[in-house]
Amino acid sequence: MDTRNRSPIVEWLLEGDPSVRWQVLRDLEHGPDAAVRSEREKIATSGWGARLLAEQGADGRWAGGLYSPKWTSTTYTLLLLLWLGLPRGNEQALAGCRVLWDGATFFGGGLTLAKTVKVPEACITGMLVLLAASFGYHDDRIEPAVEWLLDNQLADGGWNCAAIRTGSTHGSFHTSITVLEALHAYASAGGAVPVRSSLRDGRDFFLNHSLFRSHRSGKVVDTAFTRFPFPPQWHFDVLRGLEHFRLSGADRDARLDDAIHVLRNARGPDGRWPRHQPYPGRYWFTLEQPGQSRLATLRALRVLDWWKTDIRAGSFGS
């Protein structure tokens, strides 16, 4: 790997946390596997990842809760560790997954972690499948959960947590991106249930909305979609959506042009992207201070690299 011609932006990115560095080495520098793996393994022992792992209780939970408090509960801490790149098979992550699956209410496939909700939820089911598939947690309920997600895909190709409670027939951007990420991770981990056609229909849902616009009026559904705080939590945004298309190895589609335009326009004159205000709630600690964001810059640069070159990317965390 030739480091002599690194750009100032890449040099700046490599000054960040191990969770940033390993992804820069893999996705922007296309470095050797051994170097990427060595850097990634540091997540569990130093920096943000180590700090999050240190907060796990003896019972395998974080903040004493399964889904709440937001954003320090077991679910959201594990999601953050996943997005940072904690390696598959980490014992603490597996213990957290076990707590979630054992603590969830199971409705013939669908799951919920909310004590006040007496029906299964696509978003929570998706989160649990995503975490299990990504960290390598095995449970006899995973396949039925995946089949439940397939059965509850709506006619427009999306999913909606409110579908069972209210009868909604239109996909939710938030729920749909969560389920797409889960099914992609499940398939990438070698899951036995066929999900290809469901993934295709789910991506078509977003393409039919130009990723973030109304399919009827063409207007932006929610201006919040044009911001991309990290971590995204349960929220959809244009960068998160584009990341899924990149990770899935999908072909570039002209219907994503507007989303790419939003991403490019968010770039500062110095070639970097800003940190967007995190979603309200309690955090274990602040990942980045206001100003330029290594996380946003890394994520944006590799999406634009995919858009420019159409390189087929592998699954997140592979």
Side-chain angles (χ1 to χ4, degrees), residues 220-238:
V220 176
V221 172
D222 188 339
T223 56
F225 291 174
T226 62
R227 300 173 59 257
F228 27 91
F230 186 90
Q233 313 300 9
W234 54 262
H235 305 81
F236 169 80
D237 61 63
V238 293

Side-chain angles (χ1 to χ4, degrees), residues 139-282:
D139 193 291
D140 291 340
R141 294 166 289 186
I142 294 175
E143 271 66 39
V146 170
E147 291 172 346
W148 184 88
L149 287 171
L150 301 186
D151 290 342
N152 281 270
Q153 189 168 22
L154 301 173
D156 63 5
W159 289 264
N160 194 324
C161 275
I164 293 177
R165 296 196 299 271
T166 69
S168 175
T169 59
H170 190 283
S172 157
F173 288 74
H174 304 300
T175 306
S176 297
I177 194 62
T178 295
V179 177
L180 278 179
E181 290 171 348
L183 295 181
H184 176 69
Y186 173 80
S188 299
V193 178
V195 300
R196 179 178 297 180
S197 63
S198 186
L199 282 167
R200 182 195 61 233
D201 293 346
R203 285 192 284 271
D204 282 345
F205 165 79
F206 280 108
L207 289 172
N208 290 334
H209 289 82
S210 298
L211 201 62
F212 66 118
R213 295 183 179 276
S214 166
H215 66 290
R216 296 187 182 92
S217 69
K219 295 181 179 179
V220 176
V221 172
D222 188 339
T223 56
F225 291 174
T226 62
R227 300 173 59 257
F228 27 91
F230 186 90
Q233 313 300 9
W234 54 262
H235 305 81
F236 169 80
D237 61 63
V238 293
L239 179 52
R240 187 175 183 181
L242 288 168
E243 282 181 314
H244 172 75
F245 277 85
R246 170 190 171 270
L247 291 171
S248 68
D251 292 327
R252 292 173 296 179
D253 191 294
R255 288 170 288 182
L256 297 177
D257 280 344
D258 284 351
I260 290 290
H261 183 70
V262 168
L263 186 61
R264 284 176 172 153
N265 277 357
R267 192 174 197 173
D270 62 356
R272 309 176 195 192
W273 277 260
R275 167 191 179 263
H276 287 128
Q277 183 68 24
Y279 292 105
R282 180 173 179 261

Side-chain angles (χ1 to χ4, degrees), residues 61-99:
R61 303 184 184 205
W62 276 268
L66 299 179
Y67 190 74
S68 60
K70 293 182 177 67
W71 309 105
T72 54
S73 66
T74 304
T75 298
Y76 285 102
T77 303
L78 283 174
L79 285 172
L80 177 52
L81 286 165
L82 167 63
W83 290 322
L84 293 177
L86 184 70
R88 181 182 178 85
N90 177 273
E91 290 298 328
Q92 287 184 250
L94 292 174
C97 288
R98 187 175 303 109
V99 165

Side-chain angles (χ1 to χ4, degrees), residues 34-51:
V36 173
R37 184 168 54 252
S38 175
E39 195 63 45
R40 187 178 187 181
E41 289 172 352
K42 296 176 184 177
I43 295 171
T45 58
S46 63
W48 297 334
R51 291 180 66 182

Side-chain angles (χ1 to χ4, degrees), residues 61 65-67 74-75 95-121 123-129 131-132 137 139 141-142 145:
R61 303 184 184 205
L66 299 179
Y67 190 74
T74 304
T75 298
C97 288
R98 187 175 303 109
V99 165
L100 291 178
W101 280 85
D102 288 348
T105 303
F106 193 68
F107 294 91
L111 305 161
T112 186
L113 292 169
K115 295 180 180 179
T116 58
V117 178
K118 304 303 180 184
V119 294
E121 293 191 315
C123 48
I124 290 178
T125 303
M127 288 177 182
L128 266 61
V129 169
L131 292 171
Y137 176 72
D139 193 291
R141 294 166 289 186
I142 294 175

